[in-house]
Amino acid sequence: MEILFDPNVWIAFAMLTALEIVLGIDNIIFISILVGRLPVHLRDKARRLGLGFAMISRLLLLLTLSWVMGLNADLFSVLGQGFSGRDLVLLCGGLFLLYKASHEIFVEVEAREQHAPAPTDAVALKAAGSRLFWAIIGQIAVIDIVFSLDSVITAVGMVDRIGVMMAAVIASVGVMLVAAKPIGEFVDRHPSVKVLALAFLVMVGMALTAEAFGQHIPKGYIYAAMAFSLWVEALNIRARSRRQALAAAASRAA
C-alpha cells in the first residue's frame, strides 16, 4: 500500500502515461486508416481488437524485460554496421510501414479514381467479409509489435517499477480506445487529412528504418512537422466550409 501514497510513483505514472499516449499516436492513425476499409458495423470491433493487441504486446514485453533489453546485443554485422534483434524488428516494421502507407496513398490518390469505388462505397462494403477483417487485424498485430517494442524500451528508460509501467500502458490504451473512433471518423470525412496521415506514417516508417541502421531521428521532429501540416489543413478545411456555405446561400438567394 505504500506505493499508492508515494507522490513520486504518481508523478512517474502520469509522465509515462502521457508519453505512451504520444508514442501511440502513430498506432492510432495506422489502425484508423486500416479500419476505415471495413464495413461500418465491423469498425468498432476492429478498433477494440487492434488496441487490445497493442496492450497485450506491451504487457508481454514488459513481463520479459530481460529478453527485451537483450535485443540490443549485436547478432551480426554488415560492412561494419552491427545489427541487433531490436534493429531487425525495427527494420522489418519500418519497411512494412513504408510499403503499406505508400500503397494506401496510391489507392487513395490514383487507383480508386481509375479502377475501383471508394472503400466506403456500398458496393465495396457489401463485398467486405471476414477474410478482409482478419487480414486487417493481422496487419495491425504486426505493426503493434514494432510500436510496442519502441514504447517499452522508452518506458524502461523512464521508470524502474514494472507495476507502474504496466498501469501506465493500460491507462494509455484506455485513452487511445476512446480517441480512436473520433479520429478515425474525422480522417474518413476528410480525404486530404487521410493523405496527410499516410504521409505521417511514411515518415514514421523512414524513422524506424533509419533507427535500425543506428541513425536516431527524434520523433518530436516528425510530430512537429505533422502538427504544422494539420494546422495548415485545418485552415483549408475551414476555408472550404466557408466557400460552400456562401455558395449554398447564393443558390438559395437565386
Side-chain angles (χ1 to χ4, degrees):
M1 292 297 291
E2 293 180 0
I3 192 172
L4 296 178
F5 298 99
D6 187 348
N8 294 322
V9 169
W10 285 104
I11 292 172
F13 170 76
M15 291 178 60
L16 188 54
T17 301
L19 181 63
E20 290 288 328
I21 293 171
V22 171
L23 291 175
I25 290 174
D26 38 21
N27 207 356
I28 292 177
I29 292 173
F30 184 77
I31 290 173
S32 298
I33 289 172
L34 287 186
V35 166
R37 306 192 67 172
L38 289 171
V40 176
H41 67 281
L42 290 176
R43 292 179 186 178
D44 283 341
K45 181 180 179 181
R47 286 189 195 97
R48 288 194 295 268
L49 280 175
L51 288 171
F53 276 125
M55 183 175 70
I56 292 170
S57 299
R58 284 163 169 77
L59 293 178
L60 288 177
L61 287 174
L62 282 171
L63 292 173
T64 56
L65 275 181
S66 58
W67 177 78
V68 171
M69 300 314 294
L71 289 176
N72 290 319
D74 286 349
L75 300 176
F76 59 89
S77 62
V78 177
L79 299 176
Q81 173 67 47
F83 288 91
S84 65
R86 175 177 177 269
D87 293 334
L88 294 178
V89 172
L90 292 177
L91 178 61
C92 292
L95 293 176
F96 174 76
L97 205 55
L98 282 171
Y99 162 75
K100 190 62 185 176
S102 300
H103 174 73
E104 291 293 328
I105 289 175
F106 173 76
V107 170
E108 186 70 23
V109 176
E110 298 289 345
R112 176 185 297 178
E113 296 178 0
Q114 296 177 2
H115 305 295
T120 52
D121 289 349
V123 176
L125 291 180
K126 188 175 180 180
S130 59
R131 189 169 68 175
L132 175 61
F133 177 83
W134 289 110
I136 287 176
I137 293 299
Q139 293 176 56
I140 292 172
V142 168
I143 210 65
D144 275 345
I145 294 173
V146 180
F147 288 146
S148 296
L149 186 64
D150 197 27
S151 174
V152 167
I153 290 175
T154 302
V156 172
M158 287 187 61
V159 182
D160 58 359
R161 292 177 181 266
I162 186 71
V164 174
M165 287 188 278
M166 295 180 73
V169 165
I170 294 171
S172 63
V173 171
V175 173
M176 289 189 288
L177 192 60
V178 174
K181 184 175 181 178
I183 289 175
E185 291 175 345
F186 179 78
V187 168
D188 284 338
R189 285 196 305 270
H190 302 284
S192 57
V193 174
K194 185 174 183 179
V195 174
L196 270 179
L198 288 167
F200 170 66
L201 291 178
V202 170
M203 294 169 66
V204 173
M206 291 178 63
L208 291 175
T209 305
E211 185 91 14
F213 288 93
Q215 303 299 317
H216 178 65
I217 301 176
K219 276 193 173 182
Y221 293 136
I222 299 175
Y223 291 148
M226 194 61 192
F228 177 76
S229 300
L230 285 174
W231 177 70
V232 173
E233 183 57 29
L235 294 177
N236 288 331
I237 291 173
R238 182 179 179 185
R240 284 196 297 268
S241 298
R242 293 185 64 182
R243 285 196 298 269
Q244 289 171 0
L246 290 173
S251 64
R252 285 196 301 269

